[in-house]
Amino acid sequence: MRSSPTISAMPDRQTTAPRVPRHLAIIMDGNGRWAKQRQRPRTVGHRAGARAVNLCIDFCLNRGIETLTLFAFSSENWQRPKDEVGALLTLFLRALEREVDELHRRGVRLRFIGERERFPDAMRQRMREAEHLTRDNATLNLCIAAGYGGRSDIVQAMRKLAALVAAGELSVDDITAERINDALCLAGLPDPDLFIRTGGDQRISNFLLWQLAYTELWFTPVLWPDVDAALLSGALADFAARERRFGLTSEQIAQGTTP
Ligand code: IPE
Ligand code: IPE
Ligand code: MG
């Protein structure tokens, strides 16, 4: 049954275990505290965090996860001290220069989500090139959320649809959950099945507000630079043991009813 717009906006409604998430979304938090524990500047934590990103990508490739969305830098993170923002941008640019060819070789398709306007031209250029180079890859979709905010994602989607309505190309009744989904940054990808946040805080911090509607949430106090494959395996095992009901009853799920 696909008549309800709310339900049909959830492309992945797989409910039976064991399974691997098709789409894993991660808030990589705790770099600053990791550095502080070592009496080092926060930027040292960000560098260590970049190494954990590589480990996480390897993990997803090994486990056959189709899509990985990493929250690298939020729209609110622009308000951090200037030198920290500068160091993060440099780190980001270096990572693009260093990693893109290897990611391409491994079949990774890169996509950057977030408002690009505030990034320096050189970085925007690199982002465009990386997306273009990897556009036909299909082993892993890697979405990097940079300058991303869930609310501004929804705002830009609403503006797009409102412009279509104003131009007479879309009727108000045609504004459905699918339409909104398709106007958002992750258009064409299934919603995240599993969300992980490291660093101990249990909040969404303006990440994928729309797409996380029925995502399984998993939190750990482990700081992002300390993440390893065992921790990620633990999160996947926990996910595989959960029953996703999407509003139905356990009995309906046992009978194989799909929402
Ligand atoms: C996450 O680590 C990385 C970014 C937000 C860029 P933090 O820098 O937020 O680290 P903590 O939370 O202060 O420890
Ligand atoms: C969320 O972490 C954003 C990223 C990890 C990129 P923050 O450290 O910015 O979140 P808050 O401020 O603790 O909510
Ligand atoms: Mg933080």
Side-chain angles (χ1 to χ4, degrees), residues 27-33 42 46 77 80 197-199 201 203 205:
I27 297 189
M28 310 182 289
D29 197 25
N31 295 351
R33 279 163 285 167
R42 293 177 60 84
H46 294 314
N77 291 149
R80 288 194 178 188
R197 181 174 186 145
T198 62
D201 289 310
R203 54 177 172 258
S205 298

PDB file of all heavy atoms in Angstrom, residues 27-33 42 46 77 80 197-199 201 203 205, ligand 3:
ATOM      1  N   ILE A  27      26.995  11.468  12.744  1.00  0.00           N
ATOM      2  CA  ILE A  27      27.500  12.737  13.282  1.00  0.00           C
ATOM      3  C   ILE A  27      28.827  12.427  13.956  1.00  0.00           C
ATOM      4  O   ILE A  27      28.877  11.748  14.991  1.00  0.00           O
ATOM      5  CB  ILE A  27      26.519  13.390  14.279  1.00  0.00           C
ATOM      6  CG1 ILE A  27      25.194  13.745  13.573  1.00  0.00           C
ATOM      7  CG2 ILE A  27      27.152  14.644  14.892  1.00  0.00           C
ATOM      8  CD1 ILE A  27      24.238  14.584  14.412  1.00  0.00           C
ATOM      9  N   MET A  28      29.886  12.901  13.337  1.00  0.00           N
ATOM     10  CA  MET A  28      31.244  12.579  13.796  1.00  0.00           C
ATOM     11  C   MET A  28      31.643  13.622  14.835  1.00  0.00           C
ATOM     12  O   MET A  28      32.261  14.632  14.514  1.00  0.00           O
ATOM     13  CB  MET A  28      32.196  12.631  12.600  1.00  0.00           C
ATOM     14  CG  MET A  28      31.708  11.840  11.388  1.00  0.00           C
ATOM     15  SD  MET A  28      32.873  11.888  10.018  1.00  0.00           S
ATOM     16  CE  MET A  28      32.741  13.572   9.448  1.00  0.00           C
ATOM     17  N   ASP A  29      31.287  13.370  16.078  1.00  0.00           N
ATOM     18  CA  ASP A  29      31.484  14.408  17.101  1.00  0.00           C
ATOM     19  C   ASP A  29      32.527  13.986  18.130  1.00  0.00           C
ATOM     20  O   ASP A  29      32.681  12.796  18.420  1.00  0.00           O
ATOM     21  CB  ASP A  29      30.136  14.700  17.784  1.00  0.00           C
ATOM     22  CG  ASP A  29      30.163  16.017  18.543  1.00  0.00           C
ATOM     23  OD1 ASP A  29      30.975  16.904  18.191  1.00  0.00           O
ATOM     24  OD2 ASP A  29      29.374  16.164  19.482  1.00  0.00           O
ATOM     25  N   GLY A  30      33.222  14.975  18.678  1.00  0.00           N
ATOM     26  CA  GLY A  30      34.139  14.723  19.786  1.00  0.00           C
ATOM     27  C   GLY A  30      35.608  14.988  19.475  1.00  0.00           C
ATOM     28  O   GLY A  30      36.479  14.716  20.305  1.00  0.00           O
ATOM     29  N   ASN A  31      35.892  15.553  18.302  1.00  0.00           N
ATOM     30  CA  ASN A  31      37.299  15.830  17.940  1.00  0.00           C
ATOM     31  C   ASN A  31      37.956  16.796  18.920  1.00  0.00           C
ATOM     32  O   ASN A  31      39.108  16.602  19.318  1.00  0.00           O
ATOM     33  CB  ASN A  31      37.385  16.466  16.546  1.00  0.00           C
ATOM     34  CG  ASN A  31      36.935  15.536  15.447  1.00  0.00           C
ATOM     35  OD1 ASN A  31      36.712  14.354  15.681  1.00  0.00           O
ATOM     36  ND2 ASN A  31      36.792  16.071  14.249  1.00  0.00           N
ATOM     37  N   GLY A  32      37.229  17.844  19.288  1.00  0.00           N
ATOM     38  CA  GLY A  32      37.788  18.870  20.178  1.00  0.00           C
ATOM     39  C   GLY A  32      38.105  18.286  21.551  1.00  0.00           C
ATOM     40  O   GLY A  32      39.179  18.534  22.110  1.00  0.00           O
ATOM     41  N   ARG A  33      37.183  17.494  22.067  1.00  0.00           N
ATOM     42  CA  ARG A  33      37.408  16.893  23.402  1.00  0.00           C
ATOM     43  C   ARG A  33      38.544  15.872  23.350  1.00  0.00           C
ATOM     44  O   ARG A  33      39.308  15.741  24.299  1.00  0.00           O
ATOM     45  CB  ARG A  33      36.113  16.239  23.905  1.00  0.00           C
ATOM     46  CG  ARG A  33      35.159  17.255  24.521  1.00  0.00           C
ATOM     47  CD  ARG A  33      33.763  16.720  24.627  1.00  0.00           C
ATOM     48  NE  ARG A  33      33.092  16.697  23.330  1.00  0.00           N
ATOM     49  CZ  ARG A  33      31.959  16.061  23.085  1.00  0.00           C
ATOM     50  NH1 ARG A  33      31.371  15.370  24.044  1.00  0.00           N
ATOM     51  NH2 ARG A  33      31.413  16.115  21.885  1.00  0.00           N
ATOM     52  N   ARG A  42      42.564  22.044  19.358  1.00  0.00           N
ATOM     53  CA  ARG A  42      41.407  21.351  18.769  1.00  0.00           C
ATOM     54  C   ARG A  42      41.701  20.834  17.355  1.00  0.00           C
ATOM     55  O   ARG A  42      41.182  19.801  16.943  1.00  0.00           O
ATOM     56  CB  ARG A  42      40.195  22.304  18.719  1.00  0.00           C
ATOM     57  CG  ARG A  42      39.660  22.686  20.087  1.00  0.00           C
ATOM     58  CD  ARG A  42      38.513  23.693  19.949  1.00  0.00           C
ATOM     59  NE  ARG A  42      37.416  23.157  19.179  1.00  0.00           N
ATOM     60  CZ  ARG A  42      36.442  22.387  19.667  1.00  0.00           C
ATOM     61  NH1 ARG A  42      36.418  22.078  20.938  1.00  0.00           N
ATOM     62  NH2 ARG A  42      35.488  21.939  18.888  1.00  0.00           N
ATOM     63  N   HIS A  46      40.837  17.417  14.998  1.00  0.00           N
ATOM     64  CA  HIS A  46      40.215  17.339  13.663  1.00  0.00           C
ATOM     65  C   HIS A  46      41.066  16.494  12.716  1.00  0.00           C
ATOM     66  O   HIS A  46      40.536  15.750  11.900  1.00  0.00           O
ATOM     67  CB  HIS A  46      39.994  18.740  13.096  1.00  0.00           C
ATOM     68  CG  HIS A  46      38.977  19.540  13.873  1.00  0.00           C
ATOM     69  ND1 HIS A  46      37.770  19.016  14.268  1.00  0.00           N
ATOM     70  CD2 HIS A  46      39.000  20.812  14.348  1.00  0.00           C
ATOM     71  CE1 HIS A  46      37.088  19.933  14.934  1.00  0.00           C
ATOM     72  NE2 HIS A  46      37.813  21.027  15.010  1.00  0.00           N
ATOM     73  N   ASN A  77      28.488  25.583  12.480  1.00  0.00           N
ATOM     74  CA  ASN A  77      29.932  25.530  12.766  1.00  0.00           C
ATOM     75  C   ASN A  77      30.706  26.707  12.158  1.00  0.00           C
ATOM     76  O   ASN A  77      31.828  26.996  12.575  1.00  0.00           O
ATOM     77  CB  ASN A  77      30.553  24.207  12.301  1.00  0.00           C
ATOM     78  CG  ASN A  77      30.124  22.992  13.096  1.00  0.00           C
ATOM     79  OD1 ASN A  77      30.048  21.890  12.562  1.00  0.00           O
ATOM     80  ND2 ASN A  77      29.830  23.166  14.377  1.00  0.00           N
ATOM     81  N   ARG A  80      32.158  29.181  14.669  1.00  0.00           N
ATOM     82  CA  ARG A  80      33.283  28.854  15.548  1.00  0.00           C
ATOM     83  C   ARG A  80      34.416  29.865  15.350  1.00  0.00           C
ATOM     84  O   ARG A  80      34.416  30.613  14.359  1.00  0.00           O
ATOM     85  CB  ARG A  80      33.776  27.442  15.246  1.00  0.00           C
ATOM     86  CG  ARG A  80      32.789  26.407  15.733  1.00  0.00           C
ATOM     87  CD  ARG A  80      33.394  25.037  15.751  1.00  0.00           C
ATOM     88  NE  ARG A  80      32.427  24.083  16.268  1.00  0.00           N
ATOM     89  CZ  ARG A  80      32.702  22.827  16.551  1.00  0.00           C
ATOM     90  NH1 ARG A  80      33.906  22.356  16.349  1.00  0.00           N
ATOM     91  NH2 ARG A  80      31.772  22.020  17.037  1.00  0.00           N
ATOM     92  N   ARG A 197      25.771   8.733  16.413  1.00  0.00           N
ATOM     93  CA  ARG A 197      26.453   9.949  16.871  1.00  0.00           C
ATOM     94  C   ARG A 197      27.485   9.552  17.911  1.00  0.00           C
ATOM     95  O   ARG A 197      27.141   8.916  18.917  1.00  0.00           O
ATOM     96  CB  ARG A 197      25.486  10.963  17.478  1.00  0.00           C
ATOM     97  CG  ARG A 197      26.254  12.231  17.929  1.00  0.00           C
ATOM     98  CD  ARG A 197      25.362  13.358  18.404  1.00  0.00           C
ATOM     99  NE  ARG A 197      26.179  14.543  18.667  1.00  0.00           N
ATOM    100  CZ  ARG A 197      25.808  15.789  18.463  1.00  0.00           C
ATOM    101  NH1 ARG A 197      24.619  16.040  17.980  1.00  0.00           N
ATOM    102  NH2 ARG A 197      26.622  16.801  18.735  1.00  0.00           N
ATOM    103  N   THR A 198      28.713   9.932  17.676  1.00  0.00           N
ATOM    104  CA  THR A 198      29.765   9.704  18.660  1.00  0.00           C
ATOM    105  C   THR A 198      29.862  10.932  19.570  1.00  0.00           C
ATOM    106  O   THR A 198      29.217  11.949  19.331  1.00  0.00           O
ATOM    107  CB  THR A 198      31.123   9.478  17.958  1.00  0.00           C
ATOM    108  OG1 THR A 198      31.466  10.660  17.229  1.00  0.00           O
ATOM    109  CG2 THR A 198      31.081   8.285  17.023  1.00  0.00           C
ATOM    110  N   GLY A 199      30.657  10.817  20.624  1.00  0.00           N
ATOM    111  CA  GLY A 199      30.956  11.976  21.466  1.00  0.00           C
ATOM    112  C   GLY A 199      30.046  12.155  22.670  1.00  0.00           C
ATOM    113  O   GLY A 199      30.245  13.074  23.455  1.00  0.00           O
ATOM    114  N   ASP A 201      26.881  13.145  23.188  1.00  0.00           N
ATOM    115  CA  ASP A 201      25.673  13.973  23.212  1.00  0.00           C
ATOM    116  C   ASP A 201      24.562  13.292  22.426  1.00  0.00           C
ATOM    117  O   ASP A 201      24.809  12.709  21.373  1.00  0.00           O
ATOM    118  CB  ASP A 201      25.964  15.357  22.622  1.00  0.00           C
ATOM    119  CG  ASP A 201      26.842  16.183  23.542  1.00  0.00           C
ATOM    120  OD1 ASP A 201      26.515  16.281  24.736  1.00  0.00           O
ATOM    121  OD2 ASP A 201      27.873  16.699  23.070  1.00  0.00           O
ATOM    122  N   ARG A 203      21.742  14.262  20.604  1.00  0.00           N
ATOM    123  CA  ARG A 203      20.900  15.211  19.862  1.00  0.00           C
ATOM    124  C   ARG A 203      21.235  15.133  18.376  1.00  0.00           C
ATOM    125  O   ARG A 203      22.234  14.558  17.978  1.00  0.00           O
ATOM    126  CB  ARG A 203      21.078  16.632  20.398  1.00  0.00           C
ATOM    127  CG  ARG A 203      22.513  17.122  20.450  1.00  0.00           C
ATOM    128  CD  ARG A 203      22.597  18.580  20.934  1.00  0.00           C
ATOM    129  NE  ARG A 203      23.992  18.962  21.157  1.00  0.00           N
ATOM    130  CZ  ARG A 203      24.568  19.026  22.362  1.00  0.00           C
ATOM    131  NH1 ARG A 203      23.882  18.754  23.451  1.00  0.00           N
ATOM    132  NH2 ARG A 203      25.843  19.378  22.475  1.00  0.00           N
ATOM    133  N   SER A 205      21.354  17.965  16.319  1.00  0.00           N
ATOM    134  CA  SER A 205      22.169  19.127  15.909  1.00  0.00           C
ATOM    135  C   SER A 205      21.935  19.553  14.461  1.00  0.00           C
ATOM    136  O   SER A 205      22.884  19.818  13.718  1.00  0.00           O
ATOM    137  CB  SER A 205      23.660  18.856  16.157  1.00  0.00           C
ATOM    138  OG  SER A 205      23.906  18.655  17.530  1.00  0.00           O
TER     139      SER A 205
HETATM  140 MG    MG B   3      30.965  18.821  18.912  1.00  0.00          MG
END
